[in-house]
Amino acid sequence: MTLPPETVPAAGQWDAAVAAVRALGGDAEIQLVCHVSPDGDALGSMLGFGLGLRRLGYTRVRATFPGKFTVPTPYAELPGVDLLVPEADAYPAPALVLVFDVAGESRLGGLAARVAAAPVSVVLDHHASNTGFGTIRLVDPRAAATSVLAEQFVARLGVPLDAEIAECFYVALATDTGSFKFDMTTVAVHELAARLIATGLRPGDISRRIFDSRPFGAMKLTGEVLGRAVLEPAAAGGRGLVWTYATLADLARHDQPPYVLDTLIDPVRSVAEADVSVLVRQVAEREWAVSLRSKGAVDVSRLAVSQGGGGHRLAAGFTGFGEPRDVVDIVRRLLDDFLN
Ligand code: 5GP
Ligand code: MN
């Protein structure tokens, strides 16, 4: 996708977003929302922005996400976590809603209606598959993370970066760029990282906490799930497919919460013999969260969108049904369709 820089976000959207915040009194209710099963970018961009609102003197700011109120341990000590409330405690009728890292309303669960009913909803996102919801749209598919947009927004509101806000945005940027490894890792990304680190962050400490620390049970679980991976060199038009799955019983056996599987696609996608990798994670009886990755040959977001999901060209996901084999059958068939 090549768009002239001035069109993303569309002209006037930044001004509208800044005006929407400035129009509010200091005691207005502001609700921040990110996607279900939040990751580092969802939480980091949302909490960093929430802290920015606090610095501006807004006293009634709450942050939430749909579904079970579990904050993954690596993010449990992010600055601003005290802004987080369970979905049930979100403001029923906030004056302003801001939505972070949400590609489409299906990722908002029970909060979708709240967002739709808000007098103003500002959407900050970077998914190519973003469905176009929200009244003010700060959506840039070329941004490496939603926190890139959140940081610009905070700056446009006149809030200076401090170490707390910077830590939130840094965690978001580091997670969504795969520790500054992915294609989106541009000069601008490193410049932003440099400005964030300059507030006094310790990247080594943050990385250890976010990426390099997990319970023994999670490590053992990873070993089992990787041990059952299947390589299909002929699939995806000969480019190769590798896949594995993890069930709720696997989690229970190792006494682990679902989020420990959030990054398990990374060792799977490292398999050299396969362009496409798939991790099928059980969500409920016959319901699975499907993670798709490509090394470049396949636009997996197209595949995900065709199944009601979304994402980026080389990293996407959707909800699948049946047994893991049924889900992989669908992926295999779609790959054949898309590559022919
Ligand atoms: P992951 O595989 O890490 O869960 O997600 C990869 C990318 O695909 C992320 O950008 C995520 O937002 C997106 N994604 C994953 N699952 C879904 C889904 O069910 N619906 C949509 N719209 N996007 C998804
Ligand atoms: Mn993101």
Side-chain angles (χ1 to χ4, degrees), residues 35-127:
H35 64 72
V36 64
S37 307
D39 57 13
D41 189 29
L43 288 169
S45 60
M46 176 169 76
L47 297 179
F49 188 81
L51 289 172
L53 289 176
R54 253 193 199 159
R55 308 285 188 261
L56 287 168
Y58 295 100
T59 53
R60 300 169 84 185
V61 180
R62 290 182 184 170
T64 194
F65 52 86
K68 198 159 176 255
F69 189 59
T70 308
V71 179
T73 304
Y75 310 126
E77 286 171 37
L78 275 180
V81 277
D82 56 303
L83 293 165
L84 281 175
V85 298
E87 177 180 357
D89 296 336
Y91 290 120
L96 174 64
V97 172
L98 296 115
V99 184
F100 296 84
D101 204 37
V102 174
E105 283 163 298
S106 67
R107 304 279 282 164
L108 284 171
L111 290 162
R114 191 98 38 111
V115 172
V120 186
S121 54
V122 182
V123 171
L124 292 85
D125 188 39
H126 68 132
H127 292 91

Side-chain angles (χ1 to χ4, degrees), residues 262-285:
D262 284 357
T263 52
L264 193 50
I265 188 68
D266 291 328
V268 182
R269 74 182 169 81
S270 71
V271 170
E273 293 91 335
D275 181 85
V276 178
S277 48
V278 183
L279 172 65
V280 183
R281 280 175 286 165
Q282 189 171 26
V283 178
E285 176 86 28

